[in-house]
DNA sequence: CTCTATAATTAAACACTGTTCAATCTTTGT
DNA sequence: ACAAAGATTGAACAGTGTTTAATTATAGAG
């Protein structure tokens, strides 16, 4: 059990590194993150990072994966009490709102070209966007909407990919163009959702 | 005129710096770009860059603006011989194809958070996306489509912003997720355009 | 043709970055 | 108490963007 105790303390240090990294990212952006900046915050030497992570890339990947988990958590599961079309509208709205609350984290994670992050974020591949839970539930909502006669028949997987890419694009631009008024933001979100739902209708 | 000769040579050096920068970006990506990497290619000392540019940021901005100009040039003007809906389809298709040909340059430019680049790329602002020529022609096509009864009445500016954001999102993801088959790519592009056009129809 | 101002260019330094590694200190199991 | 294992450090390395004083080249004027 002593091995356990040491292991626990070791895990705690790892967690403190990740905490500090997330703090810096949230407050100063991912560009301001550096190994020495992290280790200074928690009073450790710079080399310690490489005892817990393979590289800065790896550390960043771990920190952002946690952040992205929180974003998805904030989105929550689709509202099963709603009709498919209303449920999809609500899901997209919540998705964008959540991303807007973690702007730096969302951008860094979703735009990362690192293979490990891409294994989480890739969604355009042939056939199965089922690997990503958020997309899977969108596919399900589309399928039940088609069955209910609300939507025109189509390939739900392909359609989910196209819809999500559109939402992703608006999200990234809302995060990148910094000075968009809340009113304009709402109008844009509303219009894009309206367009997409119009495209789904038969 | 001697002042002119010197000025011309000076301009030539500036251009060689930009050329080298673009070469490195195209071949090795924007992440591999460094001042010393550039100046080594053209056999100059590193400091020379700061005689022609304020910073690396500024140099990058100049290099990418040129690249983006080429992308827009490749897109070309909207086909005035086509009906508005067909013209819009064609324009979006060409836009994505062009971006796919300069992947690094497109990503770096469109995702840059630098204020100077944003003054070019910002498009979600209230009212006038007329500042950006590509968007302006999209607004025009939408307006004439509405007038022709092809599209349901709507705010053309807002709709253009939503449509372009969607296309932008698909483009970025196609560029970020590296291993998507050409067939799947075509399907995705086709489906998203179909969805958007469906949303426009009344 | 020389001299001086001006512009172009450089070498060296600075503070920073990610990363490695041998040397330490700490904790563990025996 | 001792040895093995693990955690942590400090120093170094090569690289980064940037500044600045010194140097070279060029221009026009006398």
């Amino acid at each position: 059990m002593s091995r356990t105790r040491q292991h626990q303390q070791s895990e705690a240090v790892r967690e403190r590194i990740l905490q500090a990294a997330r703090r810096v990212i949230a407050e100063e952006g991912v560009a301001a993150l550096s190994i020495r900046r992290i280790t200074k915050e928690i009073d450790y030497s710079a080399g310690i990072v490489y005892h817990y992570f393979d590289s800065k890339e790896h550390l960043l990947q771990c920190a952002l994966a946690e952040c992205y988990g929180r974003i998805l958590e904030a989105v929550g599961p689709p509202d099963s009490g709603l009709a498919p079309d209303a449920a999809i509208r609500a899901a997209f709205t919540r998705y964008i709102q959540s991303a807007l609350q973690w702007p730096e984290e969302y951008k860094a994670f979703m735009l990362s070209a690192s293979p490990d992050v891409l294994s989480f974020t890739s969604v355009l591949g042939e056939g199965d966007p089922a690997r990503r839970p958020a997309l899977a539930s969108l596919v399900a909502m589309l399928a039940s909407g088609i069955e209910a006669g609300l939507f025109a028949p189509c390939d739900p997987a392909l359609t989910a990919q196209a819809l999500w890419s559109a939402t992703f694009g608006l999200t990234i631009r809302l995060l990148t163009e910094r000075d968009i008024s809340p009113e304009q933001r709402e109008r844009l979100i509303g219009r894009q959702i309206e367009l997409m739902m119009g495209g789904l209708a038969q």
Side-chain angles (χ1 to χ4, degrees), chain A:
Chain A
M1 69 162 129
S2 314
R3 192 184 312 166
T4 311
R5 183 140 59 226
Q6 188 177 31
H7 190 259
Q8 278 176 344
Q9 285 188 3
S10 167
E11 275 300 309
V13 171
R14 199 189 127 101
E15 201 47 53
R16 287 181 65 199
I17 294 175
L18 287 172
Q19 269 176 245
R22 285 192 295 261
R23 194 162 48 233
V24 172
I25 291 172
E27 289 170 10
E28 309 177 36
V30 72
L33 192 74
S34 81
I35 263 83
R36 286 174 180 82
R37 179 87 178 70
I38 295 173
T39 50
K40 204 177 295 176
E41 284 229 352
I42 60 176
D43 241 66
Y44 271 81
S45 154
I48 195 67
V49 164
Y50 297 87
H51 213 258
Y52 293 98
F53 303 93
D54 297 341
S55 61
K56 186 193 179 184
E57 179 75 36
H58 181 216
L59 155 61
L60 189 62
Q61 176 197 131
C62 293
L64 290 178
E66 238 257 45
C67 293
Y68 189 68
R70 292 181 195 179
I71 294 178
L72 286 193
E73 203 175 328
V75 175
D79 192 329
S80 55
L82 264 44
D85 58 339
I88 292 178
R89 277 181 227 263
F92 278 136
T93 305
R94 284 201 308 273
Y95 182 86
I96 298 180
Q97 301 296 351
S98 299
L100 290 173
Q101 287 187 311
W102 285 275
E104 284 296 326
E105 293 84 345
Y106 182 85
K107 267 192 290 183
F109 193 71
M110 292 305 305
L111 295 175
S112 166
S114 127
D116 298 280
V117 176
L118 274 176
S119 75
F120 276 89
T121 56
S122 287
V123 84
L124 260 48
E126 215 117 0
D128 62 339
R131 283 204 340 254
R132 278 193 57 197
L135 256 276
S137 77
L138 178 54
V139 171
M141 289 188 276
L142 284 172
S144 76
I146 294 169
E147 204 173 3
L150 286 166
F151 304 145
C154 67
D155 180 343
L158 185 68
T159 303
Q161 290 168 323
L163 290 175
W164 180 83
S165 296
T167 307
F168 165 78
L170 180 55
T171 305
I172 291 291
R173 290 235 64 82
L174 287 174
L175 292 175
T176 305
E177 304 182 23
R178 280 185 291 269
D179 50 356
I180 296 165
S181 72
E183 299 82 30
Q184 172 72 351
R185 188 201 303 152
E186 293 309 316
R187 288 175 58 199
L188 285 163
I189 297 172
R191 185 70 183 111
Q192 199 185 59
I193 292 181
E194 198 184 328
L195 275 168
M196 295 192 298
M197 301 313 289
L200 287 175
Q202 53 188 346

